[in-house]
């Protein structure tokens, strides 16, 4: 996979991709990440990429010309939208989810456009981007941090990126759409707080049932909205009703 990032602050990406899973994926040749300065695609001597909004209002808006020129330079005027995703990062976008990360991980190439200022000319969203994404219901100064989030979420799903592929399938949001179960490690007792006995029993079937129950309980407590679409068995639905009654 190749990932291109368009930004007016390329220096923000020095470091985040040089650590952990993303670094290993790059070293293994699983992903190539290239950061581009959007100002390099402006045509005037001042390298202008923004202007005042039509109709009045505060702030500045990123112009369409440099963005279209950059994407067309990278992909050509026509590209396969099944294999390539052009992602505009904006607070007005759809909320990024694990399911979206899994879909993007199947693409050959991603282009991430980092919004800034008061926004991006709407023609970019309408005629160029394949996706408009937001990482949450809040406003950030720009799309750079969301781009880092999406890159990590996608890259860790690439075959070979994790030491154990099973890890990605058992994490929060991946296991039936609910949160992960609680994790414990040594020591078995810390300041009088003991690890649940079932985890020390060596009984794998009981441990599996306990973990699923605890995952449902944590999801009910912290993210009950996820349970509306979670893929649950009849036994799990009954267990969930018991948890709700407690």
């Amino acid at each position: 996979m190749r990932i291109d990032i368009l930004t007016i602050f390329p220096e923000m990406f020095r470091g985040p991709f040089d650590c952990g899973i993303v670094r290993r994926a790059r070293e293994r040749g699983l992903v190539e990440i290239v950061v581009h300065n959007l100002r390099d695609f402006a045509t005037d001597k001042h390298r202008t990429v923004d202007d005042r909004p039509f109709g009045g209002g505060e702030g500045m808006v990123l112009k369409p010309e440099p963005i279209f020129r950059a994407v067309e330079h990278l992909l050509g005027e026509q590209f396969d939208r099944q294999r390539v995703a052009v992602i505009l990062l904006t607070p007005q976008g759809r909320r990024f989810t694990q399911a979206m990360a899994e879909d993007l991980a199947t693409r050959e190439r991603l282009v991430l456009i980092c919004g800034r200022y008061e926004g991006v000319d709407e023609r970019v969203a309408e005629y160029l981007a394949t996706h408009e994404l937001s990482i949450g219901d809040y406003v950030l100064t720009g799309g750079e941090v969301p781009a880092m989030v999406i890159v990590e979420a996608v890259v860790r799903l690439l075959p070979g990126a994790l030491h154990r592929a099973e890890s990605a399938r058992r994490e929060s949001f991946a296991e039936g759409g609910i949160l992960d179960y609680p994790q414990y490690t040594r020591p078995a007792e810390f300041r009088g707080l003991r690890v649940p006995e079932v985890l020390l029993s060596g009984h794998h079937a009981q441990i599996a049932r306990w973990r699923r129950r605890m995952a449902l309980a944590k999801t009910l407590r912290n993210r009950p909205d996820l349970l509306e679409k979670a893929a649950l068995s009849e036994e799990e639905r009954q267990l969930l009703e018991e948890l709700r009654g407690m």
Side-chain angles (χ1 to χ4, degrees), residues 86-104:
V86 177
I87 302 165
L88 175 61
L89 298 161
T90 167
Q92 290 80 36
R94 295 173 60 198
R95 187 159 58 180
F96 181 64
T97 65
Q98 183 68 20
M100 291 181 184
E102 292 170 359
D103 174 66
L104 293 176

Side-chain angles (χ1 to χ4, degrees), residues 33 40 43-44 73-74 81 84 177 210 227 239 241:
I33 303 173
D40 292 340
T43 56
D44 66 312
H73 170 77
L74 294 170
R81 291 177 173 240
V84 178
W210 179 88
L227 294 170
L239 176 56
E241 289 306 312

Side-chain angles (χ1 to χ4, degrees), residues 150-197:
I150 289 175
V151 167
E152 173 148 346
V154 170
V155 168
R156 67 195 320 280
L157 295 175
L158 298 178
L162 296 179
H163 290 306
R164 295 180 60 192
E166 188 69 14
S167 298
R169 292 195 294 270
R170 291 187 174 178
E171 293 168 332
S172 291
F173 310 109
E175 187 70 13
I178 66 174
L179 301 182
D180 201 2
Y181 49 76
Q183 298 278 12
Y184 295 86
T185 188
R186 293 179 178 83
E189 182 173 343
F190 171 70
R191 295 183 179 178
L193 306 173
R194 285 195 56 78
V195 170
E197 291 298 329

Side-chain angles (χ1 to χ4, degrees), residues 19 34 39 42 52 62 70 74 77-78 82 98 109 129 135 162 165-166 168 192 198 219 223:
C19 306
V34 184
R39 295 188 186 279
R52 296 189 177 280
L62 285 178
L74 294 170
E77 293 188 12
Q78 300 292 330
Q82 297 300 314
Q98 183 68 20
R109 192 163 181 177
I135 62 168
L162 296 179
E166 188 69 14
V198 65
T219 305
R223 290 291 307 275

Side-chain angles (χ1 to χ4, degrees), residues 16-79:
F17 301 147
D18 296 329
C19 306
I21 292 169
V22 177
R23 177 182 61 81
R24 291 198 300 270
R26 294 175 72 186
E27 291 175 347
R28 294 172 183 171
L30 303 176
V31 64
E32 178 184 9
I33 303 173
V34 184
V35 180
H36 307 270
N37 190 335
L38 186 60
R39 295 188 186 279
D40 292 340
F41 298 93
T43 56
D44 66 312
K45 66 178 182 180
H46 299 295
R47 305 171 78 202
T48 305
V49 295
D50 60 338
D51 209 334
R52 296 189 177 280
F54 283 124
E58 298 297 323
M60 304 291 279
V61 175
L62 285 178
K63 295 162 60 67
E65 305 102 302
I67 299 175
F68 272 78
R69 190 173 294 114
V71 173
E72 290 169 359
H73 170 77
L74 294 170
L75 304 178
E77 293 188 12
Q78 300 292 330
F79 57 90

